[in-house]
Every structure is written in C-alpha cells, then in structure tokens.
Amino acid sequence: MERSQAKNVLGFDYWLQWQVLVCALIFLLPAAVAVFLLKKRTSAGSNPLNSTDLWVPCWRNLSPKWLLFYRAIAFVSMSFLLYEIAAAFGFFVFFFYTQWTFALVMVYFAIGTAVSAHGCWIYSRRPLSESGERDKFLKKESEDRKHAMTSISKEKQAKHEQRAGFWEHLMHMIYQTCGGAVMLTDIVFWGLLLPFMTGENFQLTLLIGCMHSVNALLLILDSAVNNMPFPWFGLVYFVLWSVAYVVFQWVLHACCFTWWPYPFLELSTPWAPLWYLALALVHIPCYGLYVLLVKGKQALFSRMFPHSFVRAPMEKKHA
C-alpha cells in the first residue's frame, strides 16, 4: 500500500495535476517580474551606494569599531547556533526555509564583518571626524545648499565620494533579502506552524526557539546601528530568494523525495494554489514590516536624539 502511494506521489501523474501548473505560475510570474525589474534598474543605472553607508554607524559619536565588533560577535553566535542545530538534527535541517534564512543572515554578518574591518582600517588612517567625511556622507544637505551648489562643486563632490564595490553591493542586497526573510520565517513559525503542531510529533526547545528568533533579533539590532538604506526595491531580492527555495523543493521531489518540510507546499491537494498565492502575497507585508521598522528608527531617533543620530539617505535609490 505504501509503495503504491509512493508511486502516485513520485510518478508523472503527480506533476500533471492541474494545481501544479497553477502553483508554478504563481511563483514563476513574480520571479519573471523581479528579474525584469532588476535588469531594467541595472541598465538604467541608479544612484551609487557609498561604501561608508555600510560600515559607518548612524550614531555620530559611535566609532565604526563598535559596529565591527557587534557584527563579528553576531556571526560567531549564529555559527554556533547553526552548528548546534545541525549536530542535533543532522543535515536534514537544511531542507527548511528557516535554516536557509538563518544561514543567509550569517553570511550577511560575515561579509559585514569584513566590510567593517576594511572600513575601520580606512578610519584608522584618516578618522572621519577629523576629515569631515562623516557629515558629508551621513548628513542630508539642506535644500538651499543643494540649489546654491554649482556644477563645479558637484563634480568635486562626486570625485570624493567613495563608491561601493562588489562586496558592498552584495552585502546590501543580502541585507534587504534578510529583512523580509526573517520576518516571514518567524511570523509563519510562531503564528502559523507552532499553534497547530502536536506535542507528540514536535516539542519546542530552547534551541529551536532561538533558531526562529535570534536571526531577526540580531538583524534588527544591526539595523538600529547601521546607516544602510532599506528601499522597497529590495522586495525583488526577497522574492527571488523565496522562489529559489521553492524551486529547490520541487527539484528534490522530482528526484523522488516524498516528504514536504512544510504542509502548505504540498501539491496533491486542490487547495494548493490558494496556499501558494497566500505565500506569495505575504511577502509584501513581511518586507513592508521591516521597511516600517527602518523608517520608524529614522523618524523616532532623529527626534529623540537630534544631535547624535544621523538620518540615512532613505530617498536614494540604491541597488
């Protein structure tokens, strides 16, 4: 009986069901739109991302070394947690979206540590407080000064700007992806999966609880200190990240893997298109929630600490 069910699951009949095509369109169409927008933005060009936005804190009197120290500690802590969860449950844990996101946040802190270390090396050679570059890169110029600026001064300013390189842009893209992904994983786990899990098949432990909360906590704390913009365009990277996971799961099941890590990814039920549509739509509020957190930081801290906090260039369109 079990063998016949396995054949039905793994056979061509399973993939020829009408809901499979509908579910494929639900996540492939947003992926196509995301790729189109990404190519359009790349070809059109955008305001360059300054390298100092990634390693200089948004607090005027806070040394970049503190941000470097925090990112290094966060990377080591997450590496330890990921090792513990893999040692406890095996390589099996990497079939879950949570571990994908957790590992991605860990990669963000790894690259962030390297970028901050390079920035601190520059900072040690020429402190930003002495050269005045901190205010130039972090403070938003007034409208009167912008109108009074001549074309010659604009050219001089452009020459002095430190353009972000490959690793800085990669770090910023991962940062935007992680912002939406940590909201999605933690909200789905604590609000959707955990309340319906039975005690016999699942038991919430401290390790599992940390796996579904530490990633968001560490990233939010980093956002409270860093000066990176968090534009809505980053939703494109978030969508592509989730689509990559769904494609990964479909490929596994096409290769005779019979178990779905999440019940709402199951394709045999006629309700599958509704689940996939709901998962696609929930990306918008999850990413928007992190956008609101960053904007709330800008609005709240700039009022509470007007002389210490420096607003990030949120209006710029960074890639």
Side-chain angles (χ1 to χ4, degrees), residues 136-164:
K136 183 178 69 174
F137 284 112
L138 298 183
K139 289 181 65 178
K140 181 182 178 182
E141 295 181 350
S142 63
E143 294 296 329
D144 294 338
R145 186 175 180 181
K146 286 184 178 180
H147 290 298
M149 186 181 296
T150 62
S151 59
I152 298 177
S153 62
K154 288 182 180 180
E155 292 177 359
K156 289 182 179 180
Q157 183 183 10
K159 291 180 180 180
H160 287 288
E161 284 183 349
Q162 297 182 8
R163 303 292 176 85

Side-chain angles (χ1 to χ4, degrees), residues 161-232:
E161 284 183 349
Q162 297 182 8
R163 303 292 176 85
F166 169 79
W167 291 106
E168 286 85 355
H169 282 287
L170 179 62
M171 175 185 172
H172 191 224
M173 288 188 292
I174 295 177
Y175 172 61
Q176 296 170 85
T177 305
C178 291
V182 296
M183 293 290 105
L184 177 62
T185 54
D186 292 359
I187 290 175
V188 169
F189 177 78
W190 295 104
L192 181 62
L193 294 179
L194 186 61
F196 298 98
M197 289 181 176
T198 59
E200 297 180 357
N201 299 327
F202 176 81
Q203 183 178 3
L204 180 63
T205 63
L206 179 61
L207 186 60
I208 296 177
C210 290
M211 183 62 59
H212 293 85
S213 57
V214 169
N215 52 357
L217 177 62
L218 293 178
L219 191 67
I220 291 174
L221 290 177
D222 185 86
S223 298
V225 180
N226 72 44
N227 195 54
M228 285 188 290
F230 198 86
W232 268 102

Side-chain angles (χ1 to χ4, degrees), residues 51-57 64 67 71 115-116 119-120 122-123 128:
S51 61
T52 51
D53 292 338
L54 284 81
W55 59 270
V56 175
L67 184 56
R71 286 172 172 172
V115 171
S116 292
C120 287
I122 298 176
Y123 178 82
L128 297 180

Side-chain angles (χ1 to χ4, degrees), residues 183 187 232 235 280-290 292:
M183 293 290 105
I187 290 175
W232 268 102
L235 180 62
L281 294 177
V282 80
H283 280 66
I284 299 176
C286 286
Y287 189 86
L289 179 59
Y290 209 92
L292 290 178

